Amino acid sequence: MTIDQIIEAAAKAAGVPIRRIDDGWEVSFVDSYGEAYEPNIDNAQSFWLAAALRINVEHNHPADNRPWVSASVDGYVGPGQQFVEDVPDESQRADRMRLAILRCAAAQAPKEQA
């Protein structure tokens, strides 16, 4: 999945109506209020997704040699899932956390019927 597909699926999972805007140069999304929908770079939108979809976020112990962040959902409604992102540098921890949340949210989207 591309990041655009992940954003669309995450919005669908959380029931957020978004509109895709493709100006020929880049794709962006706006919500029903006309505000940019960017949970991949917006902390508040990512946090809201985690809360709305009951996504658990965990971090490695500071003494671990291989830093990571994990986003997961329990299997009480559907299959439990976990998404782990490596953190190559501590300055990237928030970026990787948003990506893990976004991937986990996208996995909760209803499956398209053929």
Side-chain angles (χ1 to χ4, degrees):
M1 287 181 114
T2 67
I3 192 67
D4 295 337
Q5 293 169 323
I6 293 171
I7 290 171
E8 288 176 315
K12 186 180 289 189
V16 176
I18 61 171
R19 185 169 40 97
R20 180 186 181 110
I21 299 171
D22 187 346
D23 65 5
W25 292 95
E26 70 178 359
V27 173
S28 59
F29 299 95
V30 294
D31 62 17
S32 57
Y33 299 105
E35 299 291 325
Y37 185 73
E38 304 172 316
N40 55 320
I41 61 174
D42 185 296
N43 289 334
Q45 290 174 355
S46 179
F47 183 78
W48 184 88
L49 270 177
L53 296 172
R54 292 176 168 77
I55 295 172
N56 302 308
V57 177
E58 295 181 58
H59 298 269
N60 66 290
H61 187 277
D64 288 347
N65 289 331
R66 186 168 174 241
W68 53 266
V69 62
S70 166
S72 62
V73 290
D74 293 331
Y76 61 89
V77 173
Q81 296 181 316
Q82 181 179 37
F83 296 86
V84 178
E85 295 292 331
D86 289 330
V87 179
D89 184 84
E90 285 302 316
S91 67
Q92 298 175 346
R93 184 168 291 277
D95 295 337
R96 297 304 177 125
M97 184 175 74
R98 287 189 304 268
L99 180 57
I101 290 169
L102 191 59
R103 289 179 56 217
C104 190
Q108 305 312 306
K111 304 300 180 222
E112 299 288 327
Q113 294 186 352

